[in-house]
Amino acid sequence: MPPEATPHHHPAAPGGPPPRAGEEQYLPDSAATETFGGSLAPLVRPGDVIALSGQLGAGKTSLARGLLAALGLAGEAPSPTFAIVQPYAPPEVRVPVLHVDLYRLEHADEIRELGLDEALTDSVLLVEWPERAGDRWPDALWLTLSPEGEGRRLTARVPAAWEGRWPT
């Protein structure tokens, strides 16, 4: 978890609205995680970075799939682990999205070669394993998923760029 994030326990209905800054929400299963991802669709716009943090199997790709489905993607989005960057563009989705998995990168300087900063002018970046990028995107909406029982706990760090859009 990024050092700025300080968890506070505020229960929310499973699959309900996104938590406010610093709040946590319990997601009991993959379906609830995908539903949460879908709840972000009306909020995203080109230039946004959504950082998805958590260990292997925490639900990062499930959350991404929910967002992509709510943006109009038909069928299941593949994990970008091997491709590193999986692009989606209209009419496939309502806004261009680059689903990025930085797990296999060995050095943060390799990110420059992917052209992600240039893509921010007209796309949303959905980044799994954002820790590998260092502090490259300080204005990212940072969502951390941690295993808890049969489900996972989601903690949100909401930057100023999102505060007007993030539910209060």
Side-chain angles (χ1 to χ4, degrees), residues 89-115:
E92 190 176 32
V93 289
R94 106 176 141 73
V95 61
V97 176
L98 293 180
H99 184 188
V100 183
D101 188 327
L102 301 178
Y103 182 74
R104 294 182 5 175
L105 295 188
E106 294 187 20
H107 305 299
D109 58 352
E110 293 177 76
I111 293 168
R112 228 173 306 126
E113 299 170 21
L114 300 175

Short mmCIF file of all heavy atoms in Angstrom, two decimals, residues 89-115:
data_model
loop_
_atom_site.label_atom_id
_atom_site.label_comp_id
_atom_site.label_asym_id
_atom_site.label_seq_id
_atom_site.Cartn_x
_atom_site.Cartn_y
_atom_site.Cartn_z
N ALA A 89 -10.23 0.55 -28.01
CA ALA A 89 -10.60 1.83 -28.60
C ALA A 89 -12.05 1.79 -29.07
O ALA A 89 -12.58 0.72 -29.36
CB ALA A 89 -9.68 2.15 -29.78
N PRO A 90 -12.69 2.97 -29.16
CA PRO A 90 -14.05 3.00 -29.73
C PRO A 90 -14.03 2.42 -31.14
O PRO A 90 -13.02 2.56 -31.83
CB PRO A 90 -14.38 4.50 -29.75
CG PRO A 90 -13.51 5.08 -28.66
CD PRO A 90 -12.25 4.26 -28.70
N PRO A 91 -15.06 1.76 -31.57
CA PRO A 91 -16.36 1.58 -30.91
C PRO A 91 -16.39 0.42 -29.91
O PRO A 91 -17.42 0.14 -29.31
CB PRO A 91 -17.30 1.30 -32.09
CG PRO A 91 -16.44 0.57 -33.06
CD PRO A 91 -15.07 1.19 -32.93
N GLU A 92 -15.27 -0.26 -29.73
CA GLU A 92 -15.20 -1.39 -28.80
C GLU A 92 -15.54 -0.97 -27.37
O GLU A 92 -16.18 -1.71 -26.62
CB GLU A 92 -13.78 -1.96 -28.88
CG GLU A 92 -13.56 -3.25 -28.18
CD GLU A 92 -12.14 -3.78 -28.39
OE1 GLU A 92 -11.18 -3.00 -28.54
OE2 GLU A 92 -12.02 -5.01 -28.40
N VAL A 93 -15.10 0.23 -26.98
CA VAL A 93 -15.39 0.83 -25.67
C VAL A 93 -15.70 2.30 -25.90
O VAL A 93 -15.33 2.87 -26.93
CB VAL A 93 -14.18 0.68 -24.69
CG1 VAL A 93 -14.01 -0.76 -24.24
CG2 VAL A 93 -12.90 1.18 -25.32
N ARG A 94 -16.34 2.95 -24.94
CA ARG A 94 -16.77 4.34 -25.15
C ARG A 94 -15.63 5.35 -25.07
O ARG A 94 -15.72 6.43 -25.63
CB ARG A 94 -17.91 4.67 -24.20
CG ARG A 94 -17.60 5.53 -23.06
CD ARG A 94 -18.75 5.93 -22.18
NE ARG A 94 -18.34 5.93 -20.81
CZ ARG A 94 -17.55 6.85 -20.28
NH1 ARG A 94 -17.10 7.83 -20.98
NH2 ARG A 94 -17.21 6.76 -19.00
N VAL A 95 -14.55 5.00 -24.39
CA VAL A 95 -13.37 5.87 -24.28
C VAL A 95 -12.14 4.97 -24.47
O VAL A 95 -12.15 3.83 -24.01
CB VAL A 95 -13.35 6.61 -22.91
CG1 VAL A 95 -13.29 5.66 -21.75
CG2 VAL A 95 -12.22 7.60 -22.82
N PRO A 96 -11.09 5.45 -25.14
CA PRO A 96 -9.90 4.61 -25.31
C PRO A 96 -9.28 4.23 -23.95
O PRO A 96 -9.18 5.08 -23.06
CB PRO A 96 -8.93 5.49 -26.10
CG PRO A 96 -9.79 6.52 -26.76
CD PRO A 96 -10.94 6.75 -25.82
N VAL A 97 -8.90 2.98 -23.82
CA VAL A 97 -8.31 2.46 -22.58
C VAL A 97 -7.08 1.64 -22.93
O VAL A 97 -7.11 0.83 -23.86
CB VAL A 97 -9.30 1.56 -21.80
CG1 VAL A 97 -8.64 0.95 -20.56
CG2 VAL A 97 -10.56 2.32 -21.42
N LEU A 98 -6.00 1.83 -22.18
CA LEU A 98 -4.85 0.95 -22.25
C LEU A 98 -4.81 0.18 -20.94
O LEU A 98 -4.62 0.78 -19.87
CB LEU A 98 -3.55 1.73 -22.44
CG LEU A 98 -3.38 2.47 -23.76
CD1 LEU A 98 -2.04 3.19 -23.80
CD2 LEU A 98 -3.51 1.53 -24.94
N HIS A 99 -5.04 -1.12 -21.00
CA HIS A 99 -4.97 -1.99 -19.82
C HIS A 99 -3.53 -2.49 -19.77
O HIS A 99 -3.08 -3.19 -20.67
CB HIS A 99 -5.97 -3.12 -19.96
CG HIS A 99 -6.06 -4.01 -18.76
ND1 HIS A 99 -6.78 -5.18 -18.77
CD2 HIS A 99 -5.52 -3.92 -17.52
CE1 HIS A 99 -6.68 -5.76 -17.59
NE2 HIS A 99 -5.91 -5.02 -16.82
N VAL A 100 -2.82 -2.12 -18.73
CA VAL A 100 -1.38 -2.34 -18.63
C VAL A 100 -1.06 -3.22 -17.44
O VAL A 100 -1.61 -3.03 -16.35
CB VAL A 100 -0.66 -0.97 -18.47
CG1 VAL A 100 0.84 -1.14 -18.44
CG2 VAL A 100 -1.08 0.01 -19.55
N ASP A 101 -0.16 -4.16 -17.63
CA ASP A 101 0.31 -5.01 -16.54
C ASP A 101 1.83 -4.89 -16.48
O ASP A 101 2.52 -5.35 -17.38
CB ASP A 101 -0.10 -6.46 -16.79
CG ASP A 101 0.18 -7.38 -15.61
OD1 ASP A 101 1.19 -7.14 -14.89
OD2 ASP A 101 -0.57 -8.33 -15.41
N LEU A 102 2.32 -4.24 -15.44
CA LEU A 102 3.76 -3.98 -15.32
C LEU A 102 4.51 -5.08 -14.58
O LEU A 102 5.70 -4.94 -14.31
CB LEU A 102 3.98 -2.63 -14.60
CG LEU A 102 3.36 -1.41 -15.28
CD1 LEU A 102 3.61 -0.16 -14.45
CD2 LEU A 102 3.87 -1.26 -16.70
N TYR A 103 3.85 -6.19 -14.28
CA TYR A 103 4.46 -7.25 -13.48
C TYR A 103 5.79 -7.74 -14.04
O TYR A 103 6.73 -7.97 -13.30
CB TYR A 103 3.48 -8.43 -13.36
CG TYR A 103 4.00 -9.55 -12.50
CD1 TYR A 103 4.03 -9.41 -11.11
CD2 TYR A 103 4.45 -10.74 -13.06
CE1 TYR A 103 4.51 -10.44 -10.32
CE2 TYR A 103 4.93 -11.77 -12.28
CZ TYR A 103 4.96 -11.61 -10.90
OH TYR A 103 5.43 -12.63 -10.11
N ARG A 104 5.88 -7.88 -15.35
CA ARG A 104 7.08 -8.45 -15.96
C ARG A 104 8.20 -7.44 -16.20
O ARG A 104 9.29 -7.83 -16.61
CB ARG A 104 6.72 -9.14 -17.27
CG ARG A 104 5.83 -10.34 -17.05
CD ARG A 104 5.51 -11.06 -18.31
NE ARG A 104 6.23 -10.50 -19.45
CZ ARG A 104 6.21 -10.98 -20.67
NH1 ARG A 104 5.52 -12.03 -20.93
NH2 ARG A 104 6.87 -10.41 -21.65
N LEU A 105 7.94 -6.16 -15.97
CA LEU A 105 9.01 -5.17 -16.16
C LEU A 105 10.01 -5.28 -15.02
O LEU A 105 9.64 -5.45 -13.87
CB LEU A 105 8.44 -3.76 -16.21
CG LEU A 105 7.53 -3.43 -17.39
CD1 LEU A 105 7.21 -1.95 -17.40
CD2 LEU A 105 8.12 -3.85 -18.72
N GLU A 106 11.27 -5.15 -15.38
CA GLU A 106 12.31 -5.25 -14.36
C GLU A 106 12.75 -3.89 -13.83
O GLU A 106 13.22 -3.79 -12.70
CB GLU A 106 13.51 -6.02 -14.92
CG GLU A 106 13.14 -7.46 -15.22
CD GLU A 106 14.34 -8.30 -15.62
OE1 GLU A 106 15.47 -7.89 -15.33
OE2 GLU A 106 14.11 -9.36 -16.23
N HIS A 107 12.63 -2.83 -14.64
CA HIS A 107 13.07 -1.50 -14.24
C HIS A 107 12.02 -0.47 -14.63
O HIS A 107 11.43 -0.56 -15.72
CB HIS A 107 14.39 -1.13 -14.91
CG HIS A 107 15.47 -2.14 -14.66
ND1 HIS A 107 15.94 -2.43 -13.40
CD2 HIS A 107 16.18 -2.93 -15.50
CE1 HIS A 107 16.87 -3.36 -13.48
NE2 HIS A 107 17.03 -3.69 -14.74
N ALA A 108 11.81 0.52 -13.78
CA ALA A 108 10.82 1.56 -14.05
C ALA A 108 11.12 2.32 -15.34
O ALA A 108 10.21 2.78 -16.02
CB ALA A 108 10.75 2.53 -12.87
N ASP A 109 12.40 2.41 -15.73
CA ASP A 109 12.73 3.15 -16.96
C ASP A 109 12.22 2.44 -18.22
O ASP A 109 12.12 3.04 -19.28
CB ASP A 109 14.21 3.45 -17.06
CG ASP A 109 15.09 2.22 -17.02
OD1 ASP A 109 14.58 1.11 -16.77
OD2 ASP A 109 16.32 2.37 -17.23
N GLU A 110 11.85 1.16 -18.13
CA GLU A 110 11.29 0.44 -19.28
C GLU A 110 9.91 0.98 -19.65
O GLU A 110 9.44 0.78 -20.78
CB GLU A 110 11.18 -1.06 -18.97
CG GLU A 110 12.49 -1.77 -18.82
CD GLU A 110 12.29 -3.24 -18.45
OE1 GLU A 110 11.93 -4.03 -19.35
OE2 GLU A 110 12.47 -3.58 -17.26
N ILE A 111 9.26 1.64 -18.73
CA ILE A 111 7.91 2.15 -18.97
C ILE A 111 7.92 3.20 -20.08
O ILE A 111 6.99 3.28 -20.87
CB ILE A 111 7.32 2.72 -17.67
CG1 ILE A 111 7.11 1.56 -16.69
CG2 ILE A 111 6.02 3.46 -17.91
CD1 ILE A 111 6.80 1.98 -15.30
N ARG A 112 8.99 3.98 -20.15
CA ARG A 112 9.10 5.01 -21.18
C ARG A 112 8.91 4.41 -22.58
O ARG A 112 8.28 5.00 -23.44
CB ARG A 112 10.47 5.70 -21.09
CG ARG A 112 10.38 7.18 -21.12
CD ARG A 112 11.72 7.86 -20.86
NE ARG A 112 12.31 7.37 -19.61
CZ ARG A 112 13.54 6.86 -19.51
NH1 ARG A 112 14.33 6.80 -20.55
NH2 ARG A 112 14.00 6.44 -18.35
N GLU A 113 9.46 3.22 -22.77
CA GLU A 113 9.39 2.56 -24.08
C GLU A 113 7.97 2.14 -24.46
O GLU A 113 7.70 1.89 -25.64
CB GLU A 113 10.30 1.33 -24.08
CG GLU A 113 11.76 1.65 -23.84
CD GLU A 113 12.59 0.40 -23.61
OE1 GLU A 113 12.16 -0.70 -24.01
OE2 GLU A 113 13.68 0.54 -23.02
N LEU A 114 7.07 2.07 -23.50
CA LEU A 114 5.70 1.64 -23.78
C LEU A 114 4.83 2.77 -24.33
O LEU A 114 3.73 2.51 -24.82
CB LEU A 114 5.06 1.06 -22.51
CG LEU A 114 5.75 -0.16 -21.91
CD1 LEU A 114 5.07 -0.55 -20.60
CD2 LEU A 114 5.76 -1.32 -22.89
N GLY A 115 5.26 4.03 -24.22
CA GLY A 115 4.50 5.16 -24.74
C GLY A 115 3.25 5.50 -23.96
O GLY A 115 2.32 6.09 -24.49
#
